[in-house]
Amino acid sequence: MLIFAPQDKCAGLKPSHTVVRGQPFYPFTFTQMMTETVQDSRSPSAARRSFKSVTCPFCSLLCDDMNIESRHGRLRVESVRCPRAVTGFERPSPPASARVDGVEVDLHEAITTAAKLLKSSRQPLFGGLATDVDGMRAALALADRTGGIVDHMLGDGIYRNVLAMQDRGWMMTTLSELRNRADLIVFAGTDVISDHPRFFERFVWNKESMFDLDTGGREIIYLGRGLDAGAGVSPQGRQPWHLKNDPQRLGEIISAARAALAGNPLQAKTVAGVRTREVNRLVSRLKAAKYPVIVWSPPRLDFPAADITIAGLCEFIKELNQFTRCSGLALGGNEAAATAGAVCTWQSGYQLRVNFGPGHPEFDPVRNATGRLLANGEVDALLWISSFDPAIRPPQSAIPTILLTPPPEEFDRVYSVYIPVGVPGVDHAGQMCRVDTVVSLPLRKLRDTTLPSAAMVMQMLLKLL
Ligand code: SF4
């Protein structure tokens, strides 16, 4: 039986920051990694244990105020009411075996088979990429070694933002600035709480703030029909203002607002289902605010040419700065998209959708998109990583697929190779980048497991290639 070193052991070792040409990350050998056991006197498996100020990895806000109770290895969220966190931390980790073509095998055979698949592939795709910093470094090293392509499972949303930013630039803020300075917040096409349940608790209706800001007096505006505006009601009961435009026509509202801001009166009576005088009122409110912030979430702007809508938002923000201090805040970044983008940027110079096939990183946000590559048969092997949610599976395709997830309740199909991995911040220590990418936070190991991290699996693969 193969036993893995708990990741806390690895956390004390300094990984190499070099990825290009795939150097190993930890100074121990493949054999050691496969056989070493570690006695940890502070074992999380103690019958009952409390963990304070834990970082939550289950959305890109990375709340670091979680109290987690462990009883005989079962985790319980104690301090906060966040459905995503409860689902993530309290998901049991049933016993699991590696599989090859649906048949249970030992880990060595699974790793060897996966390595053969990658070795024989002319153009592999490293997709999903829901992993921590070490996992993303290892994925990049594998892609570099095999001439593969890297793309995140939320790559389409990520590129709505990246294209807008590349074209014209943008003026953005951080979660801390929003929390401490914003007096008016516009939510453009997103209610936020569906993806980030504690956003309002931590950054909008926060009880304490710097600069004596009365957070309860903040003005909240939603743009888009169908958004859940309940979280925008202030603690004193003040209702948000909700403009119920057609969500797919947000760009028209922004264009009309830009025209009004520039002093060009609009002839139309309505724009995208909203009366023109309401658009004028929106502009007046923004101009009168001391620090308005416009928030959007690229994955939620899922309609054709949404990058042009985002570009319009970014231009509107810049133009508002002639009258007041205004900034944007792009959310999204879940499933470690913020981490994957940051690591890929600092190691390859590009934010994902990078092809290492030519012998150097080649960036192309259109050609290197997962959906297009699979639909056109331009890749012949897929390694898919989803280490936070085992239910997120790769798109259907006929190519050999290697799956790295925590143990799932059931499989949706037979995978060429399945290797169970631990959850970063639950089964092993690690590090992740917050959605505003200005900080990275440490993740802790909360329970004992024999599951390797995705990083360890990929480092073992690297040694066989
Ligand atoms: S809001 Fe996000 S980071 Fe915060 S506790 Fe909930 S899932 Fe975790």
Side-chain angles (χ1 to χ4, degrees):
M1 183 179 158
L2 300 167
I3 304 170
F4 283 85
Q7 190 72 2
D8 273 0
K9 176 78 172 176
C10 301
L13 302 170
K14 292 287 176 236
S16 163
H17 285 238
T18 306
V19 135
V20 178
R21 291 302 146 210
Q23 294 303 304
F25 297 100
Y26 294 104
F28 46 62
T29 66
F30 177 72
T31 310
Q32 283 172 316
M33 288 169 74
M34 299 283 279
T35 58
E36 189 173 358
T37 58
V38 174
Q39 300 299 319
D40 183 355
S41 60
R42 301 168 293 109
S43 171
S45 68
R48 185 166 178 170
R49 192 160 172 209
S50 293
F51 298 89
K52 306 283 183 205
S53 304
V54 168
T55 302
C56 171
F58 296 107
C59 92
S60 59
L61 297 185
L62 299 184
C63 301
D64 58 356
D65 60 347
M66 311 292 291
N67 291 340
I68 308 289
E69 188 83 10
S70 168
R71 290 186 192 179
H72 302 286
R74 290 295 299 263
L75 302 180
R76 200 177 141 80
V77 177
E78 290 291 327
S79 53
V80 302
R81 300 167 71 87
C82 172
R84 272 184 92 98
V86 169
T87 303
F89 280 111
E90 298 187 6
R91 182 183 290 121
S93 180
S97 297
R99 296 178 180 214
V100 171
D101 292 329
V103 177
E104 292 189 5
V105 296
D106 67 23
L107 190 58
H108 183 270
E109 186 175 339
I111 296 269
T112 309
T113 308
K116 279 185 191 155
L117 283 176
L118 291 176
K119 212 168 194 168
S120 62
S121 165
R122 282 180 298 158
Q123 179 83 90
L125 170 63
F126 296 86
L129 301 183
T131 181
D132 59 355
V133 167
D134 281 350
M136 190 58 203
R137 281 183 173 139
L140 284 164
L142 267 182
D144 184 48
R145 179 72 59 87
T146 57
I149 296 172
V150 289
D151 185 24
H152 191 271
M153 61 174 77
L154 300 176
D156 290 343
I158 292 169
Y159 275 93
R160 287 176 201 132
N161 256 6
V162 170
L163 293 174
M165 188 260 287
Q166 280 183 327
D167 267 4
R168 301 278 188 90
W170 58 15
M171 298 176 73
M172 304 296 273
T173 190
T174 63
L175 291 171
S176 301
E177 282 273 295
L178 177 99
R179 179 187 162 98
N180 289 306
R181 294 186 186 276
D183 58 344
L184 189 163
I185 308 174
V186 177
F187 294 95
T190 179
D191 55 31
V192 178
I193 53 163
S194 306
D195 297 320
H196 311 281
R198 295 182 67 206
F199 182 84
F200 280 78
E201 173 200 332
R202 282 175 59 85
F203 302 106
V204 179
W205 307 130
N206 44 303
K207 292 193 176 74
E208 293 171 354
S209 77
M210 299 166 75
F211 317 122
D212 294 329
L213 179 76
D214 172 18
T215 59
R218 282 175 161 148
E219 191 172 356
I220 305 298
I221 302 174
Y222 289 92
L223 303 183
R225 206 167 44 228
L227 301 178
D228 178 356
V233 179
S234 78
Q236 294 76 27
R238 181 176 167 175
Q239 294 293 319
W241 181 32
H242 195 164
L243 279 113
K244 297 184 177 169
N245 57 286
D246 178 345
Q248 300 215 1
R249 297 175 65 190
L250 174 64
E252 292 174 48
I253 298 285
I254 301 304
S255 296
R258 290 179 64 193
L261 186 69
N264 299 318
L266 297 168
Q267 304 294 322
K269 292 268 184 299
T270 63
V271 179
V274 171
R275 282 174 293 181
T276 305
R277 64 184 157 89
E278 298 288 273
V279 177
N280 292 336
R281 191 169 146 223
L282 171 68
V283 173
S284 302
R285 295 271 186 95
L286 283 161
K287 281 170 73 176
K290 285 192 180 135
Y291 193 159
V293 174
I294 300 180
V295 178
W296 68 91
S297 177
R300 292 283 162 184
L301 302 181
D302 189 9
F303 47 80
D307 56 302
I308 295 173
T309 296
I310 293 174
L313 276 169
C314 294
E315 291 305 294
F316 185 38
I317 289 165
K318 284 187 246 173
E319 290 155 7
L320 278 164
N321 273 273
Q322 295 171 56
F323 303 93
T324 186
R325 175 177 173 170
C326 179
S327 293
L329 180 71
L331 295 176
N334 283 1
E335 302 303 330
T339 301
V343 177
C344 194
T345 302
W346 81 55
Q347 296 211 325
S348 76
Y350 301 106
Q351 207 201 37
L352 297 168
R353 295 201 166 167
V354 174
N355 181 5
F356 290 86
H360 59 270
E362 193 175 85
F363 168 74
D364 193 319
V366 178
R367 281 170 55 205
N368 296 335
T370 296
R372 201 197 73 83
L373 291 167
L374 292 175
N376 291 354
E378 293 182 21
V379 286
D380 56 1
L382 170 64
L383 186 149
W384 181 267
I385 311 159
S386 178
S387 31
F388 301 97
D389 185 350
I392 302 179
R393 305 288 164 73
Q396 289 285 349
S397 78
I399 62 175
T401 299
I402 302 159
L403 182 68
L404 307 186
T405 70
E409 279 180 19
E410 56 187 359
F411 288 92
D412 61 327
R413 67 190 107 143
V414 173
Y415 289 92
S416 309
V417 180
Y418 167 68
I419 299 175
V421 294
V423 181
V426 176
D427 295 317
H428 61 83
Q431 208 162 12
M432 284 176 73
C433 300
R434 205 172 65 181
V435 64
D436 50 4
T437 63
V438 291
V439 291
S440 62
L441 285 109
L443 307 177
R444 292 167 66 185
K445 175 184 170 76
L446 306 178
R447 67 183 174 201
D448 270 344
T449 178
T450 55
L451 295 175
S453 67
M456 291 178 83
V457 169
M458 288 186 279
Q459 287 153 22
M460 287 187 273
L461 283 171
L462 197 59
K463 286 182 178 290
L464 296 180
L465 291 171

